[in-house]
Amino acid sequence: MHAPISPAILADLRRPRPYPAVSVLLPTHRREPANAQDAVRLRNLLEEAKDAVHNDPEVSRADRIDVIGQLDQALGEVDLVHAEDGLAIFAAPGEHQVWTLARTVPARVLLAQTFLTRNLVAAHVANHPFWVLALSADVATLWSGSKWRAPEQVTGTFPVRRVPEDFDPEREERIGDTPSTFNDERTRQFLREVTESAGVAVAADPRPMYLVGEAEALAALDEAGKLVKEAAGQVVQGGLAEGPAEALRQALADAAGRRAEEEVAGVLSELDQARSRKAFAGGVDEVWQSVAEARVALVAIEDGYRATVRDDGDHLVPAASGDRGARDDIVDEIAEQALDTGARVRFVPDGELADVGHVAAVLRY
């Protein structure tokens, strides 16, 4: 399974591949007894994908053997014991990827020149990703967090470690002290490096950032740059710079919950203001048309909302899954297309948009 999704990863997934780029999507289940048939369904979908590759006259013999082998390798990497709500397998000549999603997907097999990414895009946004910077006097670590998962430590420019101060017993004997934990020059340099590295991470993947550390550490970090002032929240608790992940998740629960409530209240307020100035769209048909015209500034979607529709030429109308022309994941299509046009996409608790068709938008004009 892969690390949490980032804009760079999504951009790479969405680039064209040599044909066939195979996408296999499967709704999965976290618990018994619903998950009992997941393995069988997965094997059936993969056999369907292999048959489609084998029988496609546009696929060369070499690519057919390669892609079918990639699908077999992907199957070996799937961990259904720790399944979430959806699974995506991508395979193309020379590569395969397996993604687990905290959002359900429709069962599907697709051969194209690009992978089917809209479900990953929607899952990424719905998962409310955030950064966690955990700090002590000696080390700072960066973690990728989200609504449904314990944070995962990020490597690369992190962890950042403070260069140890050489102990000088003659200095202590002469003036009777040792350098302050957070006030010596090496620590200030350490905190400037932490600030710079965290800024690079946020610039590459903008998310809210939470800070975790002792009060003295956070106060010193505040003097080093803008991290503290711009943070989504602070947790004054030491001993977590090296994790573990579950302890960080528990420490962040209250702060993240408060921010989520504030964000939902802000989204609902924006929608109310949009209604009053006639810049509002509600329901899947109106929102889809507005998104297609690139008129949307904000799309709000209920967490659990799904709709199957078909296009009758003028509007999207309700349809049953399996109907000719049915689009089972129109909500995820809306989310992806909205993001592509520069709109913000926010997911809100079920029931918050019940009176407007479970999906709504603020229009630019």
Side-chain angles (χ1 to χ4, degrees):
M1 303 291 185
H2 284 265
I5 301 167
S6 70
I9 289 172
L10 283 173
D12 180 70
L13 284 172
R14 297 171 76 180
R15 65 177 172 81
R17 257 74 179 178
Y19 187 84
V22 181
S23 302
V24 178
L25 302 178
L26 175 73
T28 53
H29 305 85
R30 297 172 185 255
R31 299 176 182 86
E32 297 178 344
N35 63 1
Q37 294 300 312
D38 283 353
V40 174
R41 296 188 187 102
L42 175 59
R43 289 184 180 278
N44 289 342
L45 273 180
L46 287 174
E47 287 303 316
E48 180 182 337
K50 291 178 188 178
D51 288 344
V53 171
H54 188 273
N55 296 324
D56 192 327
E58 296 183 27
V59 181
S60 69
R61 180 176 182 276
D63 285 344
R64 181 169 65 246
I65 293 171
D66 186 351
V67 172
I68 289 175
Q70 298 290 343
L71 290 170
D72 285 334
Q73 291 180 56
L75 176 61
E77 297 173 12
V78 172
D79 179 11
L80 290 176
V81 173
H82 300 99
E84 296 184 289
D85 302 304
L87 180 71
I89 293 176
F90 300 136
E95 66 172 317
H96 67 273
Q97 302 189 31
V98 177
W99 293 91
T100 178
L101 309 177
R103 180 172 170 82
T104 192
V105 298
R108 176 172 297 172
V109 171
L110 179 69
L111 275 61
Q113 289 193 304
T114 58
F115 294 139
L116 184 63
T117 60
R118 57 177 170 256
N119 307 104
L120 270 74
V121 171
H124 175 60
V125 178
N127 214 20
H128 301 279
F130 55 82
W131 294 118
V132 184
L133 179 68
L135 180 68
S136 72
D138 301 309
V139 62
T141 53
L142 186 67
W143 302 72
S144 175
S146 63
K147 181 178 180 180
W148 301 112
R149 295 183 176 127
E152 298 179 19
Q153 189 170 356
V154 176
T155 57
T157 56
F158 281 89
V160 178
R161 297 189 183 276
R162 175 182 177 275
V163 177
E165 185 77 39
D166 293 331
F167 176 61
D168 185 352
E170 292 183 4
R171 178 181 186 276
E172 182 179 12
E173 182 178 346
R174 185 169 59 253
I175 62 177
D177 73 343
T178 56
S180 170
T181 303
F182 287 101
N183 290 328
D184 66 277
E185 181 54 35
R186 290 195 183 187
T187 299
R188 286 192 288 269
Q189 177 58 39
F190 159 64
L191 293 174
R192 287 193 291 269
E193 185 179 349
V194 170
T195 299
E196 181 179 346
S197 297
V200 170
V202 172
D205 185 357
R207 312 181 188 179
M209 177 172 283
Y210 295 91
L211 306 177
V212 179
E214 294 178 354
E216 189 180 4
L218 296 178
L221 183 65
D222 190 19
E223 296 178 2
K226 298 180 179 179
L227 281 181
V228 172
K229 296 178 181 65
E230 297 177 351
Q234 299 180 40
V235 176
V236 181
Q237 182 174 335
L240 293 175
E242 305 274 14
E246 180 58 24
L248 270 173
R249 186 193 67 78
Q250 292 178 15
L252 287 161
D254 289 343
R258 285 193 301 271
R259 179 176 175 83
E261 291 174 359
E262 291 168 0
E263 185 174 79
V264 169
V267 168
L268 297 178
S269 176
E270 284 190 64
L271 292 172
D272 285 341
Q273 293 172 33
R275 283 201 234 196
S276 67
R277 65 176 191 270
K278 311 297 183 185
F280 176 87
V284 67
D285 183 45
E286 280 189 26
V287 172
W288 171 248
Q289 290 191 38
S290 300
V291 166
E293 295 167 0
R295 298 174 55 208
V296 169
L298 166 69
V299 173
I301 303 168
E302 288 186 354
D303 280 325
Y305 179 53
R306 296 290 184 278
T308 300
V309 300
R310 61 177 177 81
D311 192 338
D312 72 355
D314 295 314
H315 298 280
L316 299 181
V317 297
S321 183
D323 285 356
R324 184 179 182 84
R327 295 156 77 168
D328 293 308
D329 52 0
I330 188 63
V331 175
D332 289 359
E333 285 191 55
I334 287 172
E336 182 179 51
Q337 182 66 24
L339 291 168
D340 284 345
T341 60
R344 291 174 294 140
V345 176
R346 299 290 184 267
F347 284 80
V348 301
D350 291 341
E352 294 287 358
L353 304 174
D355 61 332
V356 293
H358 310 288
V359 56
V362 175
L363 306 182
R364 295 190 176 103
Y365 60 91

